[in-house]
Amino acid sequence: MSQLYVGIDVSSKSNVAYLMKPDGSKHSTFLVRNSLDGSRQLVKRIHNAITSESLTDVIIGLESTSVYGDNLVCFLREDGTLTPYNKKIHVLNPKQVAKFKLAYNDLPKNDYVDAFVIADCLRFGRINKEVYLDDYRYKALQNLTRARFFAVQNLTKEKQRFLNYLFKKYSTMAQEKVFSDTFSTTALAVYEEFDSAETLAEMDLQQLTVFIKEKGKNRFPDPDAVAKAIQKAARSSYRLPKTVNDSVNQVLSISISSMRAMEQQIKAFDKAIADQMELIPNTLTSIKGIGPVYSAGIIAEIGDINRFPNQASLAKYAGLAWQQHQSGDFESQNTRMIKSGNRYLKYYLGEAAMSLVRCDAEYSRFYHLKYNEVNKYQHKRALALTARKLVRLVFRLLKDNCLYRAPESK
């Protein structure tokens, strides 16, 4: 078996390729545009190198660099020029390539050197399996679930900024739990429709109660008590100068509009994801608490479950694994979670695990057991361990293609 190793350093405008012979010597290196025409030139030069060296296989590798390599990977898979050869395509973790580069002394940092390091990394063979794109339905679903992930992150950041400005206008209300949900429709109406804490504090209590009933659609069991709590918090809040107060009101109003727009955006993603999930049969939705969105986020990142030999490898792929710290007879009981892993899969597993804590008695028991074991980072630790427990269930359901049956309560 004689192989050509092709390392590609991808960027938004160009791709630098390093073609390496089986013995590690250089065949050629060149730059092409990151475009359809540039990719055609790349494939043509790879083909010429294979034929000129009488090689039989080609192994192509590139780093995972945002979205800049996605089109190239699809093109390399679909183009028929290299079909006669045993072609493998690997998308490498940049951390893996960086660690491999440390084995060389004093290598400079430029695109051509990076392409060489990728090619040599392929030659040594200590790499993951080739890229998985056998079913483009997973890629289509992944586009939606990842976009939703970022929409949720943006909403979370906007809510945090909102709370910072809310403290300026209603300092006590931001500190105390006047509303069970700080971002409920009634709460946002109070923040937005009253000019200042002073105005709210001096408002007639009966009028405020009527306002609370109207905005809350008569869902508050005791609206009068809520109105009194709001006024009490308003009276003990700081008073801002009018100019500063007006600017804070503008910021809060714009922030509320942004949050509403983001929530509508997430709902649109949820609908699109649910529609896409109808094309992909799965058994994860048989778990109470895991609907089409969470199951889509998990399945889109996993793809074909047969890529993973066991549940431990799937957990490591998701970043739900812990580093071992052992030397001689000593083995530390306090270990840190690995920093690598698929952050999208880890997020959706965490969200699904938290949903199971609310809906499934066994997962609720497990979460609270782990929560009470320590007095530091309780929620973070308990959620990570619960998500790790969920990985075993996900792996088995997908591997056996079976429905979930909750254990009978004793």
Side-chain angles (χ1 to χ4, degrees):
M1 182 184 295
S2 52
Q3 298 170 327
L4 178 72
Y5 302 98
V6 181
I8 306 174
D9 186 74
V10 178
S11 67
S12 60
K13 294 183 179 180
S14 61
N15 298 328
V16 174
Y18 187 101
L19 276 55
M20 181 179 289
K21 297 178 183 179
D23 61 357
S25 61
K26 172 182 171 183
H27 176 275
S28 61
T29 182
F30 53 89
L31 179 146
V32 295
R33 296 282 298 175
N34 191 354
S35 64
L36 182 59
D37 290 338
S39 297
R40 285 171 178 160
Q41 293 176 30
L42 171 65
V43 169
K44 183 178 180 180
R45 296 192 65 164
I46 293 174
H47 180 265
N48 291 339
I50 294 173
T51 54
S52 65
E53 297 292 332
S54 301
L55 303 177
T56 58
D57 298 351
V58 57
I59 301 180
I60 305 171
L62 60 150
E63 286 183 330
S64 176
T65 311
S66 184
V67 299
Y68 300 131
D70 289 355
N71 292 337
L72 176 60
V73 171
C74 290
F75 177 83
L76 291 172
R77 292 191 77 255
E78 298 296 328
D79 186 77
T81 306
L82 302 178
T83 300
Y85 311 100
N86 185 14
K87 174 183 63 179
K88 294 182 179 179
I89 305 170
H90 299 269
V91 178
L92 306 180
N93 189 325
K95 180 180 178 181
Q96 178 185 10
V97 178
K99 292 291 185 182
F100 183 83
K101 186 178 179 181
L102 294 176
Y104 297 91
N105 291 326
D106 302 326
L107 273 183
K109 174 70 177 76
N110 60 61
D111 294 341
Y112 290 91
V113 169
D114 291 344
F116 157 75
V117 172
I118 294 172
D120 213 25
C121 187
L122 295 173
R123 187 171 69 92
F124 273 80
R126 303 288 292 180
I127 51 179
N128 298 325
K129 293 182 179 179
E130 58 185 306
V131 65
Y132 174 76
L133 273 177
D134 290 341
D135 192 335
Y136 286 114
R137 292 179 300 175
Y138 292 113
K139 188 61 180 179
L141 187 63
Q142 192 180 89
N143 289 334
L144 294 172
T145 55
R146 289 189 176 186
R148 182 189 182 276
F149 167 84
F150 288 112
V152 172
Q153 299 301 305
N154 290 336
L155 178 60
T156 302
K157 292 176 183 177
E158 187 61 41
K159 285 184 175 181
Q160 186 56 57
R161 282 191 290 267
F162 177 86
L163 289 174
N164 292 338
Y165 283 97
L166 180 64
F167 181 85
K168 292 185 177 182
K169 184 176 180 179
Y170 297 120
S171 56
T172 304
M173 200 177 297
Q175 295 169 341
E176 300 176 357
K177 274 290 196 180
V178 177
F179 297 100
S180 58
D181 181 4
T182 307
F183 300 96
S184 66
T185 302
T186 307
L188 292 179
V190 170
Y191 308 147
E192 194 173 21
E193 297 192 24
F194 293 97
D195 293 337
S196 64
E198 189 174 4
T199 303
L200 187 57
E202 295 176 356
M203 185 178 183
D204 180 73
L205 182 61
Q206 187 175 358
Q207 291 181 350
L208 182 57
T209 303
V210 172
F211 178 85
I212 296 297
K213 284 182 179 179
E214 179 186 344
K215 296 299 180 180
K217 298 181 180 179
N218 293 317
R219 292 174 182 170
F220 287 98
D222 190 354
D224 186 61
V226 175
K228 289 179 180 179
I230 291 172
Q231 278 203 328
K232 181 181 177 182
R235 291 192 185 103
S236 61
S237 296
Y238 287 102
R239 300 295 186 265
L240 294 175
K242 186 178 185 308
T243 304
V244 177
N245 188 76
D246 289 345
S247 66
V248 170
N249 282 334
Q250 288 180 315
V251 171
L252 290 177
S253 178
I254 294 171
S255 184
I256 289 172
S257 298
S258 298
M259 287 188 291
R260 287 171 178 162
M262 290 177 190
E263 287 170 350
Q264 290 299 316
Q265 186 183 65
I266 293 171
K267 288 180 181 178
F269 278 128
D270 289 350
K271 184 180 183 305
I273 289 170
D275 292 341
Q276 187 71 27
M277 277 297 288
E278 293 180 359
L279 305 175
I280 305 176
N282 78 94
T283 58
L284 297 187
T285 50
S286 64
I287 307 173
K288 185 179 179 181
I290 299 184
V293 173
Y294 292 160
S295 61
I298 295 170
I299 289 173
E301 300 301 330
I302 293 176
D304 184 0
I305 192 61
N306 294 314
R307 296 194 299 146
F308 301 93
N310 50 52
Q311 54 87 20
S313 62
L314 176 59
K316 187 174 182 180
Y317 177 70
L320 293 170
W322 285 260
Q323 295 174 339
Q324 185 182 26
H325 190 125
Q326 180 270 335
S327 178
D329 295 332
F330 169 79
E331 183 161 2
S332 176
Q333 297 299 313
N334 298 319
T335 56
R336 293 182 178 273
M337 186 179 290
I338 62 174
K339 295 182 179 180
S340 57
N342 186 313
R343 62 171 173 163
Y344 307 104
L345 179 56
K346 186 177 182 179
Y347 165 78
Y348 280 107
L349 283 170
E351 291 294 301
M354 201 64 232
S355 181
L356 276 179
V357 170
R358 294 188 290 266
C359 301
D360 188 279
E362 167 59 22
Y363 278 84
S364 177
R365 181 200 65 78
F366 181 83
Y367 170 86
H368 289 98
L369 174 67
K370 297 303 176 183
Y371 186 96
N372 294 323
E373 283 181 349
V374 294
N375 56 12
K376 190 177 182 181
Y377 308 124
Q378 293 170 300
H379 170 70
K380 187 177 181 180
R381 175 181 181 272
L383 182 59
L385 291 170
T386 306
R388 179 63 182 87
K389 177 181 173 70
L390 176 59
V391 168
R392 293 192 286 270
L393 176 60
V394 167
F395 179 81
R396 187 45 53 198
L397 292 184
L398 295 179
K399 195 77 170 179
D400 296 343
N401 194 29
C402 60
L403 300 177
Y404 174 66
R405 292 172 57 185
E408 296 181 1
S409 56
K410 297 181 181 179

